[in-house]
Amino acid sequence: EAAIHVPLSHLEADADWAIPHYGYPVIVYCAHGKRSGEAAEILADLGYYSVLVLEGGYQAYLNPKYE
């Protein structure tokens, strides 16, 4: 499946629409890795149980030496 952009401020309200199956693997990320941890907690609180965080965010993904 393709990536879906859901702003953190809308995640709780839009999670059912964006991620309809609670057991599907979900990788959350943001630019630098700070908001993605919060997003993962929100999803876990909503009952999603296969949530992974891209540590360091998209910048770390693009440049492994980025910290």
Side-chain angles (χ1 to χ4, degrees):
E1 296 269 334
I4 299 172
H5 176 256
V6 180
L8 184 60
S9 60
H10 298 165
L11 183 58
E12 194 166 353
D14 292 344
D16 287 340
W17 164 83
I19 315 163
H21 303 287
Y22 288 85
Y24 277 13
V26 176
I27 300 172
V28 293
Y29 65 91
C30 61
H32 300 284
K34 297 190 184 343
R35 292 181 310 271
S36 55
E38 187 175 343
E41 287 183 29
I42 290 170
L43 292 174
D45 289 346
L46 292 173
Y48 293 90
Y49 54 88
S50 186
V51 180
L52 304 170
V53 175
L54 182 62
E55 294 296 329
Y58 193 63
Q59 290 297 322
Y61 172 77
L62 292 176
N63 181 5
K65 294 181 182 180
Y66 177 83
E67 289 290 329

